Amino acid sequence: MSTCATVSRSLDEPISGTAAMATTWLLLEQPGPWGAKALTSSHLDRALGRALETAAGGTGVRIALIRRPGRHADPRTPAQRRVYAAHTVPGKVWLRTTTTRDPRKLLDLDFAALGAGDHRSFDAALGGRAHRTGPLALVCTNGKRDRCCALLGRPLASELTTSGVPGVWEVTHLGGHRFSPTVLVLPYGYSYGRAEAHTVKEVLQGVQEKRIVVQGCRGNSAWDRPGQAAELAVRAATGEYTAEALSVVRTDGAAPRWAVTVAHADGRHWRVIVAQGASLPPRPESCGVSALGTPARMDVVSVRALTAAALAG
C-alpha cells in the first residue's frame, strides 16, 4: 500500500529542518478519540479547546493532547489528567509536570511567560513540579490528521510500551505526516522521523546521558526551520552531541537563502548557509490530499567556523 510516508521514504526526502516549532510544549492528557484538530474535536470541552488555542497564539507555546498507548478506553471525563510543560531553548531547558481534575485551570497560565521559559505560573496555577523520572517520548498517532500516523505511529508506541520503555505517550500532532512515525523527545525538544523502536531507545538513552542523537533527527523545536538544519549541520561537522551545547543566535536573510550563526556554550561560533529548495519529483504531502506537492527542503550549503575578528566585524 502506497502512502505519503512510503513515497517520502522511497524518494529519500531529507528530514533535517522539518520539526514543528515551539519554544515551550504544553501537553494535556485527553483519552478517547481525537479529530483532525484535536483541541476542538475530541472529548475535551470544545470551548475550552478554542480558548486554549487563542491563549497560546503568538507566545511560542504549542499545545497538544496526549494519551496512554494502547486501546483507548474513553471515560469521557477522566478523574485525573496528567499535564506536562517543557521549555526547549538550550541553557533554559526544563520539564515540569502535575495532574489536574479541572483542565480549565490551564487558562490561568501566563502563556507569554511560559513561551519565554518562565514556569512560575505553571507551578502556581497547577501545582507543577520538576519531572525527574526520565525523558518523554511522544509518538504521533492521530490517524484523523493522516492515516500514516495511525498505521505507523500506534504500533511504534505499543512496541515501546510493551518492551518496558517508560515515558511513552501518544500525541495528537507533530507535523510532517510523510515522515511517520514521528516522535518528539522532551525535555530537549528534538523531533525524529521514520523512527523505529531501537532508534527511539537509543535517543532516550542519549537524553539520559545529556547527549543528542542526530540520526533521523528533524531538528530542535526551539529554532525555525533554517536554524534547525544549521544546528544539526554543526553537530555533524564538529562531532558535538552534548545537549544544550549549541544555540542559534542569529539568522540573516530570507527565503530562499539564510546565513545562520550557531554558537557553542564555550564561545565558538559557526556561520551556516542554508538554502531552501523544492523536493522533486512532486509527491503527496499527506494521505488526505489528492494533489501532489513539492515540499520545501532545507539544504545546508556550507558550515564555516568564525574567527574572533569575523565576529567583531
Side-chain angles (χ1 to χ4, degrees), residues 170-242:
E170 297 185 8
V171 68
T172 47
H173 184 48
L174 298 177
H177 321 297
R178 64 192 183 279
F179 304 122
S180 296
T182 59
V183 181
L184 169 69
V185 177
L186 297 175
Y188 297 122
Y190 288 83
S191 289
Y192 294 82
R194 303 181 186 130
E196 298 179 4
H198 70 92
T199 57
V200 175
K201 292 175 184 178
E202 291 172 7
V203 169
L204 294 174
Q205 181 60 39
V207 171
Q208 297 276 29
E209 300 168 358
K210 298 185 177 181
R211 173 176 51 84
I212 303 303
V213 172
V214 299
Q215 180 181 3
C217 190
R218 301 174 63 194
N220 185 336
S221 73
W223 316 129
D224 60 14
R225 294 190 62 184
Q228 292 172 13
E231 187 224 346
L232 290 175
V234 171
R235 289 192 180 278
T238 63
E240 176 56 86
Y241 303 120
T242 304

Coordinates of all heavy atoms in Angstrom, one line a residue, residues 170-242:
E170 N 1.2 8.7 23.4 CA 0.7 9.1 22.1 C 0.4 10.6 22.1 O -0.1 11.1 23.1 CB -0.6 8.3 21.7 CG -0.4 6.8 21.6 CD -1.6 6.0 21.1 OE1 -2.6 6.7 20.8 OE2 -1.5 4.8 21.2
V171 N 0.6 11.3 21.0 CA 0.4 12.7 20.9 C -0.4 13.0 19.7 O -0.3 12.3 18.7 CB 1.7 13.5 21.0 CG1 2.5 13.2 19.7 CG2 1.5 14.9 21.3
T172 N -1.1 14.2 19.7 CA -2.0 14.5 18.6 C -1.4 14.9 17.3 O -1.8 14.5 16.2 CB -3.0 15.6 19.0 OG1 -2.3 16.7 19.6 CG2 -4.0 15.1 20.0
H173 N -0.3 15.7 17.3 CA 0.2 16.2 16.0 C 1.6 16.8 16.2 O 1.8 17.7 17.0 CB -0.8 17.3 15.5 CG -0.4 17.9 14.1 ND1 -0.1 17.0 13.1 CD2 -0.3 19.1 13.7 CE1 0.2 17.8 12.0 NE2 0.1 19.0 12.4
L174 N 2.5 16.3 15.4 CA 3.9 16.8 15.4 C 4.3 17.4 14.0 O 5.4 17.8 13.8 CB 4.9 15.7 15.8 CG 4.7 15.1 17.2 CD1 5.7 14.0 17.4 CD2 4.8 16.2 18.3
G175 N 3.3 17.4 13.1 CA 3.7 17.9 11.7 C 4.5 16.8 10.9 O 5.1 15.9 11.5
G176 N 4.5 17.0 9.6 CA 5.3 16.1 8.8 C 4.8 14.7 8.7 O 5.5 13.7 9.0
H177 N 3.5 14.5 8.3 CA 2.9 13.1 8.3 C 3.8 12.2 7.5 O 3.9 11.0 7.8 CB 1.5 13.1 7.6 CG 0.7 14.3 8.0 ND1 0.3 14.5 9.3 CD2 0.1 15.3 7.3 CE1 -0.5 15.6 9.4 NE2 -0.6 16.1 8.1
R178 N 4.4 12.7 6.4 CA 5.1 11.9 5.4 C 6.4 11.3 6.1 O 7.1 10.5 5.4 CB 5.4 12.6 4.1 CG 6.3 13.8 4.3 CD 6.2 14.7 3.0 NE 7.1 15.8 3.1 CZ 6.8 16.9 3.7 NH1 5.7 17.1 4.3 NH2 7.7 17.9 3.7
F179 N 6.8 11.8 7.2 CA 8.0 11.3 7.9 C 7.6 10.3 9.0 O 8.4 10.0 9.9 CB 8.8 12.4 8.5 CG 9.2 13.5 7.5 CD1 8.8 14.8 7.6 CD2 9.9 13.1 6.4 CE1 9.2 15.7 6.7 CE2 10.3 14.0 5.4 CZ 9.9 15.4 5.6
S180 N 6.3 9.8 9.1 CA 5.9 8.9 10.1 C 6.7 7.6 10.1 O 7.1 7.2 9.0 CB 4.4 8.6 9.9 OG 3.6 9.7 10.0
P181 N 6.9 7.0 11.3 CA 6.4 7.5 12.6 C 7.3 8.7 13.1 O 8.5 8.6 13.0 CB 6.6 6.3 13.5 CG 6.9 5.1 12.6 CD 7.5 5.7 11.4
T182 N 6.6 9.7 13.6 CA 7.3 10.9 14.1 C 7.3 10.8 15.6 O 6.3 10.5 16.2 CB 6.7 12.2 13.6 OG1 5.4 12.3 14.0 CG2 6.9 12.3 12.1
V183 N 8.4 11.3 16.3 CA 8.5 11.2 17.7 C 9.1 12.5 18.2 O 10.1 13.0 17.6 CB 9.4 10.1 18.2 CG1 9.5 10.0 19.7 CG2 8.8 8.7 17.6
L184 N 8.5 13.1 19.2 CA 9.1 14.3 19.9 C 9.7 13.8 21.2 O 9.0 13.1 22.0 CB 8.1 15.4 20.1 CG 8.5 16.5 21.1 CD1 9.6 17.4 20.4 CD2 7.3 17.4 21.5
V185 N 10.9 14.1 21.5 CA 11.5 13.7 22.8 C 11.8 15.0 23.7 O 12.4 15.9 23.2 CB 12.9 13.0 22.5 CG1 13.5 12.6 23.9 CG2 12.6 11.7 21.7
L186 N 11.3 14.9 24.9 CA 11.4 16.0 25.8 C 12.3 15.5 27.0 O 12.2 14.3 27.3 CB 10.0 16.5 26.3 CG 9.1 17.1 25.2 CD1 7.7 17.4 25.8 CD2 9.7 18.3 24.6
P187 N 13.1 16.4 27.6 CA 12.9 17.9 27.6 C 13.6 18.6 26.5 O 13.3 19.8 26.4 CB 13.5 18.3 29.0 CG 14.6 17.3 29.2 CD 14.1 16.0 28.6
Y188 N 14.5 18.1 25.8 CA 15.4 18.9 24.9 C 14.6 19.3 23.6 O 15.1 20.3 23.0 CB 16.6 18.2 24.6 CG 17.5 17.9 25.8 CD1 17.9 16.6 26.1 CD2 17.9 19.0 26.6 CE1 18.7 16.4 27.2 CE2 18.7 18.7 27.7 CZ 19.1 17.4 28.0 OH 19.9 17.2 29.2
G189 N 13.5 18.7 23.3 CA 12.7 19.2 22.2 C 13.1 18.8 20.8 O 12.8 19.5 19.8
Y190 N 13.9 17.7 20.6 CA 14.3 17.2 19.3 C 13.2 16.3 18.8 O 12.8 15.4 19.5 CB 15.7 16.6 19.4 CG 16.8 17.6 19.5 CD1 17.1 18.0 20.8 CD2 17.5 18.1 18.4 CE1 18.1 19.0 21.0 CE2 18.5 19.0 18.6 CZ 18.8 19.5 19.9 OH 19.8 20.4 20.1
S191 N 12.9 16.4 17.5 CA 11.9 15.5 16.9 C 12.7 14.6 15.9 O 13.7 14.9 15.4 CB 10.9 16.3 16.0 OG 10.0 17.0 16.9
Y192 N 12.1 13.4 15.7 CA 12.7 12.4 14.9 C 11.6 11.9 13.9 O 10.4 11.8 14.2 CB 13.2 11.2 15.8 CG 14.4 11.7 16.6 CD1 14.2 12.3 17.8 CD2 15.7 11.5 16.2 CE1 15.2 12.8 18.6 CE2 16.8 12.0 16.9 CZ 16.5 12.6 18.1 OH 17.6 13.1 18.9
G193 N 12.1 11.5 12.7 CA 11.2 10.9 11.7 C 11.6 9.6 11.3 O 12.8 9.1 11.5
R194 N 10.6 8.8 10.7 CA 10.9 7.4 10.2 C 11.5 6.6 11.4 O 12.4 5.8 11.2 CB 11.8 7.4 9.0 CG 11.2 8.2 7.9 CD 12.1 8.2 6.6 NE 11.6 9.1 5.6 CZ 12.4 10.0 5.0 NH1 13.7 10.1 5.2 NH2 11.8 10.8 4.1
A195 N 10.9 6.8 12.6 CA 11.5 6.3 13.8 C 11.2 4.8 13.9 O 10.1 4.3 13.5 CB 11.0 7.0 15.0
E196 N 12.1 4.0 14.5 CA 12.0 2.7 14.8 C 12.2 2.5 16.3 O 12.9 3.3 16.9 CB 12.9 1.8 14.0 CG 12.6 1.9 12.5 CD 13.6 1.0 11.7 OE1 14.4 0.3 12.3 OE2 13.5 1.1 10.4
A197 N 11.7 1.4 16.9 CA 11.8 1.2 18.3 C 13.3 1.3 18.8 O 13.6 2.0 19.8 CB 11.1 -0.1 18.7
H198 N 14.2 0.6 18.1 CA 15.6 0.6 18.6 C 16.2 2.0 18.5 O 17.0 2.3 19.4 CB 16.4 -0.4 17.8 CG 16.7 -0.1 16.4 ND1 17.8 0.6 16.0 CD2 15.9 -0.3 15.2 CE1 17.8 0.8 14.7 NE2 16.6 0.3 14.2
T199 N 15.8 2.8 17.5 CA 16.4 4.1 17.4 C 15.8 5.0 18.5 O 16.6 5.9 19.1 CB 16.2 4.8 16.0 OG1 14.8 4.8 15.7 CG2 16.9 4.0 15.0
V200 N 14.6 4.9 18.8 CA 14.0 5.7 19.9 C 14.6 5.3 21.2 O 14.9 6.2 22.0 CB 12.4 5.5 20.0 CG1 11.9 6.2 21.2 CG2 11.8 5.9 18.7
K201 N 14.9 4.1 21.4 CA 15.6 3.7 22.7 C 17.0 4.3 22.7 O 17.4 4.8 23.8 CB 15.7 2.2 22.8 CG 14.3 1.5 23.0 CD 14.4 0.0 22.9 CE 13.1 -0.7 23.0 NZ 13.2 -2.2 22.9
E202 N 17.7 4.4 21.6 CA 19.0 5.0 21.6 C 18.9 6.5 21.9 O 19.7 7.1 22.6 CB 19.6 4.8 20.2 CG 20.0 3.3 19.9 CD 20.5 3.2 18.5 OE1 20.7 4.2 17.8 OE2 20.8 2.0 18.1
V203 N 17.9 7.1 21.3 CA 17.7 8.6 21.6 C 17.4 8.8 23.1 O 18.0 9.7 23.7 CB 16.5 9.1 20.7 CG1 16.1 10.5 21.1 CG2 16.9 9.1 19.2
L204 N 16.5 8.0 23.7 CA 16.2 8.2 25.1 C 17.4 7.9 26.0 O 17.6 8.6 27.0 CB 15.0 7.3 25.4 CG 13.7 7.6 24.8 CD1 12.6 6.5 25.1 CD2 13.2 9.0 25.2
Q205 N 18.2 6.9 25.6 CA 19.4 6.7 26.4 C 20.4 7.9 26.2 O 21.0 8.3 27.2 CB 20.1 5.4 25.9 CG 21.4 5.1 26.6 CD 21.2 4.8 28.1 OE1 20.2 4.2 28.5 NE2 22.1 5.3 28.9
G206 N 20.4 8.5 25.0 CA 21.2 9.6 24.8 C 20.8 10.8 25.7 O 21.6 11.5 26.3
V207 N 19.5 11.0 25.8 CA 18.9 12.1 26.7 C 19.3 11.8 28.1 O 19.7 12.8 28.8 CB 17.4 12.2 26.5 CG1 16.8 13.1 27.5 CG2 17.0 12.6 25.1
Q208 N 19.3 10.6 28.6 CA 19.7 10.3 29.9 C 21.2 10.7 30.2 O 21.5 11.1 31.3 CB 19.5 8.8 30.2 CG 18.1 8.3 30.1 CD 17.3 8.5 31.4 OE1 17.6 9.4 32.2 NE2 16.4 7.6 31.7
E209 N 22.0 10.6 29.1 CA 23.4 11.0 29.2 C 23.6 12.4 28.8 O 24.8 12.8 28.6 CB 24.2 10.0 28.3 CG 24.1 8.6 28.7 CD 24.6 7.6 27.7 OE1 25.1 8.1 26.6 OE2 24.6 6.4 27.9
K210 N 22.5 13.2 28.6 CA 22.6 14.6 28.1 C 23.3 14.7 26.8 O 24.2 15.6 26.6 CB 23.3 15.5 29.2 CG 22.5 15.5 30.5 CD 23.1 16.5 31.5 CE 22.3 16.5 32.8 NZ 22.8 17.5 33.8
R211 N 22.9 13.8 25.9 CA 23.6 13.7 24.6 C 22.5 13.6 23.5 O 21.4 12.9 23.7 CB 24.4 12.5 24.5 CG 25.0 12.1 23.2 CD 26.0 10.9 23.3 NE 25.4 9.8 24.0 CZ 24.6 8.9 23.4 NH1 24.3 9.0 22.1 NH2 24.1 7.9 24.1
I212 N 22.7 14.3 22.4 CA 21.7 14.3 21.3 C 22.1 13.3 20.2 O 23.2 13.4 19.7 CB 21.5 15.7 20.7 CG1 21.2 16.7 21.8 CG2 20.5 15.7 19.6 CD1 19.9 16.4 22.6
V213 N 21.2 12.5 19.8 CA 21.4 11.6 18.7 C 20.9 12.3 17.4 O 19.7 12.8 17.4 CB 20.6 10.3 18.9 CG1 20.6 9.4 17.6 CG2 21.2 9.5 20.1
V214 N 21.7 12.4 16.4 CA 21.3 13.2 15.2 C 20.8 12.3 14.1 O 20.2 12.8 13.2 CB 22.5 14.0 14.7 CG1 23.0 15.0 15.8 CG2 23.7 13.1 14.3
Q215 N 21.0 11.0 14.2 CA 20.5 10.1 13.2 C 18.9 10.2 13.2 O 18.3 9.9 14.2 CB 20.9 8.7 13.4 CG 20.4 7.7 12.3 CD 20.9 6.3 12.6 OE1 21.6 6.0 13.6 NE2 20.5 5.4 11.7
G216 N 18.3 10.5 12.0 CA 16.9 10.6 11.9 C 16.3 11.8 12.6 O 15.1 11.9 12.7
C217 N 17.1 12.8 13.0 CA 16.6 13.9 13.7 C 16.1 15.0 12.7 O 16.7 15.3 11.7 CB 17.7 14.5 14.5 SG 17.2 15.8 15.7
R218 N 14.9 15.5 13.0 CA 14.3 16.6 12.2 C 14.7 17.9 12.7 O 14.6 18.9 11.9 CB 12.8 16.4 12.3 CG 12.2 15.1 11.8 CD 10.8 15.0 12.0 NE 10.0 16.0 11.2 CZ 8.7 16.3 11.4 NH1 8.0 15.6 12.4 NH2 8.1 17.2 10.7
G219 N 15.1 18.1 13.9 CA 15.5 19.4 14.5 C 15.0 19.6 15.8 O 14.1 18.9 16.4
N220 N 15.5 20.7 16.4 CA 15.0 21.2 17.7 C 13.9 22.2 17.6 O 14.0 23.2 16.8 CB 16.2 21.9 18.5 CG 15.9 22.3 19.9 OD1 14.7 22.5 20.2 ND2 16.9 22.4 20.7
S221 N 12.8 22.0 18.3 CA 11.6 22.8 18.1 C 11.9 24.3 18.5 O 11.1 25.2 18.1 CB 10.4 22.3 18.9 OG 10.6 22.5 20.3
A222 N 12.9 24.6 19.3 CA 13.2 25.9 19.7 C 13.6 26.8 18.5 O 13.4 28.1 18.6 CB 14.3 25.9 20.7
W223 N 14.0 26.2 17.4 CA 14.5 27.1 16.3 C 13.5 27.0 15.1 O 12.8 26.1 14.9 CB 15.9 26.6 15.8 CG 16.8 26.3 16.9 CD1 17.6 25.1 17.1 CD2 17.2 27.1 18.0 NE1 18.3 25.2 18.2 CE2 18.1 26.4 18.8 CE3 16.8 28.4 18.4 CZ2 18.7 26.9 19.9 CZ3 17.4 28.9 19.5 CH2 18.3 28.2 20.3
D224 N 13.7 28.0 14.2 CA 12.9 27.9 12.9 C 13.6 26.9 12.0 O 14.6 26.3 12.4 CB 12.8 29.3 12.3 CG 14.1 29.9 11.9 OD1 15.2 29.2 12.0 OD2 14.2 31.2 11.7
R225 N 13.0 26.7 10.9 CA 13.5 25.6 10.0 C 15.0 25.8 9.6 O 15.7 24.8 9.7 CB 12.6 25.4 8.8 CG 11.2 24.9 9.2 CD 10.3 24.5 8.0 NE 11.0 23.4 7.3 CZ 10.5 22.9 6.2 NH1 9.5 23.4 5.6 NH2 11.2 21.9 5.6
P226 N 15.4 27.0 9.1 CA 16.8 27.1 8.8 C 17.7 26.9 10.0 O 18.8 26.3 9.9 CB 16.9 28.6 8.3 CG 15.5 28.9 7.9 CD 14.6 28.2 8.8
G227 N 17.3 27.4 11.2 CA 18.0 27.2 12.4 C 18.2 25.7 12.8 O 19.2 25.3 13.2
Q228 N 17.1 25.0 12.6 CA 17.1 23.5 12.9 C 18.2 22.8 12.0 O 19.0 22.1 12.5 CB 15.7 22.9 12.6 CG 14.7 23.3 13.6 CD 13.3 22.8 13.2 OE1 13.2 22.0 12.3 NE2 12.2 23.4 13.8
A229 N 18.1 23.1 10.7 CA 19.1 22.5 9.8 C 20.5 22.9 10.1 O 21.4 22.1 10.1 CB 18.7 22.8 8.4
A230 N 20.7 24.2 10.4 CA 22.0 24.7 10.7 C 22.6 24.1 12.0 O 23.8 23.7 12.0 CB 22.0 26.2 10.9
E231 N 21.8 24.0 13.0 CA 22.3 23.4 14.3 C 22.7 21.9 14.1 O 23.8 21.5 14.5 CB 21.3 23.5 15.4 CG 21.8 23.1 16.7 CD 20.9 22.2 17.5 OE1 19.7 22.1 17.1 OE2 21.4 21.5 18.4
L232 N 21.9 21.2 13.4 CA 22.2 19.8 13.1 C 23.5 19.7 12.3 O 24.3 18.7 12.4 CB 21.1 19.1 12.5 CG 19.8 18.8 13.4 CD1 18.7 18.2 12.6 CD2 20.2 18.0 14.6
A233 N 23.7 20.6 11.3 CA 24.9 20.5 10.4 C 26.1 20.8 11.2 O 27.2 20.2 11.0 CB 24.7 21.6 9.3
V234 N 26.1 21.7 12.2 CA 27.2 22.0 13.0 C 27.5 20.8 13.9 O 28.7 20.4 14.1 CB 27.0 23.2 13.9 CG1 28.1 23.4 14.9 CG2 26.9 24.5 13.0
R235 N 26.5 20.1 14.4 CA 26.8 18.9 15.2 C 27.5 17.9 14.4 O 28.4 17.2 14.8 CB 25.4 18.4 15.8 CG 24.8 19.2 16.9 CD 23.7 18.5 17.6 NE 23.1 19.3 18.7 CZ 23.6 19.4 19.9 NH1 24.7 18.7 20.2 NH2 23.0 20.1 20.8
A236 N 27.0 17.7 13.2 CA 27.6 16.7 12.3 C 29.0 17.0 11.9 O 29.9 16.1 11.8 CB 26.7 16.5 11.0
A237 N 29.2 18.3 11.7 CA 30.6 18.7 11.2 C 31.6 18.7 12.3 O 32.8 18.5 12.1 CB 30.5 20.1 10.6
T238 N 31.2 18.9 13.6 CA 32.1 19.0 14.7 C 32.1 17.8 15.6 O 33.0 17.7 16.5 CB 31.8 20.3 15.5 OG1 30.5 20.1 16.1 CG2 31.8 21.5 14.7
G239 N 31.1 16.9 15.5 CA 31.0 15.8 16.4 C 30.6 16.3 17.8 O 30.9 15.5 18.8
E240 N 30.0 17.4 17.9 CA 29.5 17.9 19.2 C 28.0 17.4 19.4 O 27.1 17.9 18.7 CB 29.6 19.4 19.2 CG 29.0 20.0 20.5 CD 29.7 19.5 21.8 OE1 30.7 20.0 22.2 OE2 29.1 18.5 22.4
Y241 N 27.8 16.5 20.3 CA 26.5 15.9 20.5 C 26.0 16.2 21.9 O 24.9 15.7 22.3 CB 26.5 14.4 20.2 CG 27.0 14.1 18.8 CD1 28.1 13.3 18.6 CD2 26.3 14.7 17.7 CE1 28.6 13.1 17.4 CE2 26.8 14.4 16.4 CZ 27.9 13.6 16.3 OH 28.4 13.3 15.0
T242 N 26.7 17.0 22.7 CA 26.2 17.4 24.0 C 24.9 18.2 24.0 O 24.9 19.2 23.2 CB 27.3 18.1 24.8 OG1 28.5 17.4 24.8 CG2 26.9 18.4 26.2

